[in-house]
Amino acid sequence: MEPKIGITPENLAKVAHALNGILADEFVLYTKTRNAHWNVEGPDFHSKHLFFESQYNELDEIMDSVAERIRSLGHYAPATLKSFLQLTHLSEQLHEKNDGEGFVRELLNDHESLIIRLRENINYFANDLGDAGTSDYITGLMETHEKMAWMLRAHVR
Protein backbone atom coordinates (compact mmCIF):
# COMPACT_ATOMS: atom_id res chain seq x y z
CA MET A 1 0.00 0.00 0.00
CA GLU A 2 1.41 3.36 -1.04
CA PRO A 3 1.76 5.97 1.72
CA LYS A 4 -0.26 9.13 1.18
CA ILE A 5 1.73 11.50 3.36
CA GLY A 6 1.99 14.63 1.19
CA ILE A 7 5.14 13.61 -0.70
CA THR A 8 4.97 12.55 -4.32
CA PRO A 9 5.74 8.91 -5.12
CA GLU A 10 8.73 10.08 -7.19
CA ASN A 11 10.16 12.01 -4.25
CA LEU A 12 9.50 9.14 -1.85
CA ALA A 13 11.50 6.90 -4.20
CA LYS A 14 14.38 9.42 -4.24
CA VAL A 15 14.40 9.66 -0.45
CA ALA A 16 14.29 5.87 -0.10
CA HIS A 17 17.14 5.47 -2.58
CA ALA A 18 19.30 7.93 -0.64
CA LEU A 19 18.40 6.16 2.62
CA ASN A 20 19.39 2.84 1.04
CA GLY A 21 22.91 4.24 0.62
CA ILE A 22 22.94 5.47 4.21
CA LEU A 23 21.77 2.06 5.43
CA ALA A 24 24.56 0.42 3.43
CA ASP A 25 27.10 2.78 5.01
CA GLU A 26 25.74 1.96 8.45
CA PHE A 27 26.02 -1.77 7.74
CA VAL A 28 29.62 -1.53 6.52
CA LEU A 29 30.54 0.65 9.51
CA TYR A 30 28.83 -1.84 11.84
CA THR A 31 30.78 -4.71 10.28
CA LYS A 32 34.07 -2.84 10.57
CA THR A 33 33.32 -2.03 14.20
CA ARG A 34 32.58 -5.71 14.88
CA ASN A 35 35.91 -6.53 13.22
CA ALA A 36 37.65 -4.09 15.55
CA HIS A 37 35.91 -5.65 18.56
CA TRP A 38 36.92 -9.17 17.52
CA ASN A 39 40.45 -8.48 16.32
CA VAL A 40 41.88 -5.62 18.33
CA GLU A 41 45.25 -6.39 19.93
CA GLY A 42 47.63 -4.57 22.21
CA PRO A 43 48.02 -3.43 25.79
CA ASP A 44 44.66 -1.63 25.63
CA PHE A 45 42.84 -4.73 24.37
CA HIS A 46 40.25 -5.02 27.11
CA SER A 47 39.18 -1.37 27.13
CA LYS A 48 39.05 -1.17 23.33
CA HIS A 49 37.22 -4.49 23.10
CA LEU A 50 34.47 -3.14 25.37
CA PHE A 51 34.46 0.27 23.69
CA PHE A 52 34.00 -1.21 20.21
CA GLU A 53 31.21 -3.40 21.57
CA SER A 54 29.31 -0.34 22.80
CA GLN A 55 29.75 1.27 19.39
CA TYR A 56 28.55 -1.71 17.35
CA ASN A 57 25.53 -2.08 19.63
CA GLU A 58 24.62 1.53 18.89
CA LEU A 59 25.15 0.99 15.16
CA ASP A 60 22.90 -2.08 15.28
CA GLU A 61 20.06 0.09 16.59
CA ILE A 62 20.79 2.74 13.96
CA MET A 63 20.62 0.18 11.12
CA ASP A 64 17.24 -1.03 12.30
CA SER A 65 15.97 2.52 12.57
CA VAL A 66 17.12 3.47 9.05
CA ALA A 67 15.56 0.33 7.58
CA GLU A 68 12.30 1.10 9.36
CA ARG A 69 12.38 4.66 8.03
CA ILE A 70 12.70 3.28 4.49
CA ARG A 71 9.76 0.95 5.12
CA SER A 72 7.65 3.78 6.55
CA LEU A 73 8.12 5.59 3.23
CA GLY A 74 6.67 2.61 1.36
CA HIS A 75 9.89 1.08 0.05
CA TYR A 76 11.89 -2.03 0.83
CA ALA A 77 15.20 -1.79 2.62
CA PRO A 78 18.20 -3.49 1.01
CA ALA A 79 19.17 -6.55 2.99
CA THR A 80 21.94 -8.41 1.20
CA LEU A 81 25.69 -8.09 1.48
CA LYS A 82 25.89 -7.60 -2.27
CA SER A 83 23.44 -4.70 -2.21
CA PHE A 84 25.18 -3.08 0.74
CA LEU A 85 28.54 -3.24 -1.01
CA GLN A 86 27.01 -1.76 -4.17
CA LEU A 87 25.30 1.09 -2.29
CA THR A 88 27.94 2.09 0.25
CA HIS A 89 30.49 4.81 -0.28
CA LEU A 90 32.72 3.31 2.44
CA SER A 91 35.39 0.69 1.90
CA GLU A 92 35.18 -2.55 3.80
CA GLN A 93 38.97 -2.83 3.64
CA LEU A 94 41.08 -1.73 6.58
CA HIS A 95 43.71 0.88 5.84
CA GLU A 96 45.18 1.14 9.33
CA LYS A 97 47.03 -1.16 11.72
CA ASN A 98 45.28 -4.00 13.57
CA ASP A 99 45.65 -2.33 16.98
CA GLY A 100 43.49 -0.06 19.08
CA GLU A 101 44.72 3.18 17.56
CA GLY A 102 44.57 1.82 14.01
CA PHE A 103 40.98 0.68 14.41
CA VAL A 104 40.01 3.96 16.09
CA ARG A 105 41.47 5.99 13.21
CA GLU A 106 39.80 3.79 10.60
CA LEU A 107 36.39 3.98 12.25
CA LEU A 108 36.73 7.70 12.90
CA ASN A 109 37.38 8.34 9.20
CA ASP A 110 34.27 6.34 8.30
CA HIS A 111 32.07 8.14 10.83
CA GLU A 112 33.27 11.52 9.57
CA SER A 113 32.61 10.49 5.98
CA LEU A 114 29.11 9.37 6.91
CA ILE A 115 28.49 12.61 8.81
CA ILE A 116 29.31 14.55 5.65
CA ARG A 117 26.95 12.37 3.60
CA LEU A 118 24.15 12.90 6.11
CA ARG A 119 24.76 16.65 6.27
CA GLU A 120 24.63 16.88 2.46
CA ASN A 121 21.16 15.30 2.45
CA ILE A 122 19.48 17.39 5.16
CA ASN A 123 18.45 20.30 2.92
CA TYR A 124 18.01 18.04 -0.12
CA PHE A 125 15.35 15.99 1.68
CA ALA A 126 13.56 19.02 3.17
CA ASN A 127 13.83 21.58 0.39
CA ASP A 128 14.11 19.61 -2.85
CA LEU A 129 12.02 16.53 -2.00
CA GLY A 130 9.57 18.02 0.49
CA ASP A 131 10.35 15.49 3.23
CA ALA A 132 10.95 17.45 6.42
CA GLY A 133 10.47 14.29 8.48
CA THR A 134 13.37 12.42 6.93
CA SER A 135 15.43 15.62 6.99
CA ASP A 136 14.84 15.86 10.73
CA TYR A 137 15.49 12.15 11.15
CA ILE A 138 18.90 12.26 9.47
CA THR A 139 19.79 15.44 11.38
CA GLY A 140 19.38 13.39 14.57
CA LEU A 141 21.31 10.54 13.01
CA MET A 142 24.11 12.94 12.09
CA GLU A 143 24.25 14.18 15.67
CA THR A 144 24.52 10.58 16.92
CA HIS A 145 27.44 9.96 14.58
CA GLU A 146 29.07 13.22 15.64
CA LYS A 147 28.99 11.99 19.25
CA MET A 148 30.33 8.56 18.23
CA ALA A 149 33.11 10.27 16.28
CA TRP A 150 33.93 12.42 19.29
CA MET A 151 34.24 9.28 21.42
CA LEU A 152 36.64 7.81 18.85
CA ARG A 153 38.56 11.06 18.49
CA ALA A 154 39.06 11.18 22.27
CA HIS A 155 41.19 8.02 21.97
CA VAL A 156 43.66 9.68 19.58
CA ARG A 157 46.02 12.39 20.71
Side-chain angles (χ1 to χ4, degrees), residues 1-154:
M1 198 169 187
E2 186 176 300
K4 294 180 182 14
I5 57 174
I7 303 169
T8 67
E10 296 82 16
N11 285 358
L12 284 173
K14 289 176 183 177
V15 171
H17 179 71
L19 288 173
N20 287 346
I22 292 167
L23 178 57
D25 288 346
E26 299 287 2
F27 187 86
V28 169
L29 185 53
Y30 168 84
T31 302
K32 289 173 80 170
T33 306
R34 274 281 190 174
N35 179 26
H37 169 75
W38 289 332
N39 293 309
V40 68
E41 296 175 323
D44 60 347
F45 163 78
H46 185 65
S47 63
K48 289 295 189 296
H49 181 75
L50 296 175
F51 172 70
F52 294 137
E53 181 177 14
S54 71
Q55 291 237 321
Y56 77 66
N57 282 330
E58 190 162 3
L59 289 166
D60 185 49
E61 291 180 24
I62 290 171
M63 287 185 307
D64 190 54
S65 176
V66 174
E68 288 177 356
R69 182 72 193 170
I70 295 165
R71 293 296 293 136
S72 73
L73 298 176
H75 290 267
Y76 292 103
T80 66
L81 299 175
K82 182 178 180 180
S83 64
F84 289 143
L85 290 175
Q86 289 171 339
L87 292 165
T88 189
H89 82 283
L90 301 177
S91 169
E92 68 174 337
Q93 300 299 316
L94 291 176
H95 302 100
E96 296 284 343
K97 293 188 301 185
N98 200 41
D99 62 8
E101 185 173 340
F103 281 123
V104 165
R105 289 183 186 281
E106 181 81 23
L107 297 173
L108 176 58
N109 287 336
D110 287 348
H111 277 278
E112 289 176 340
S113 179
L114 182 50
I115 290 164
I116 292 167
R117 186 175 195 178
L118 291 165
R119 189 179 311 281
E120 290 170 348
N121 278 293
I122 292 170
N123 289 331
Y124 172 64
F125 288 161
N127 301 333
D128 298 347
L129 302 179
D131 188 351
T134 301
S135 177
D136 181 62
Y137 170 74
I138 67 164
T139 299
L141 192 57
M142 180 191 67
E143 292 168 350
T144 299
H145 280 284
E146 287 173 337
K147 184 173 181 180
M148 293 177 81
W150 163 58
M151 296 288 179
L152 287 158
R153 203 175 296 112

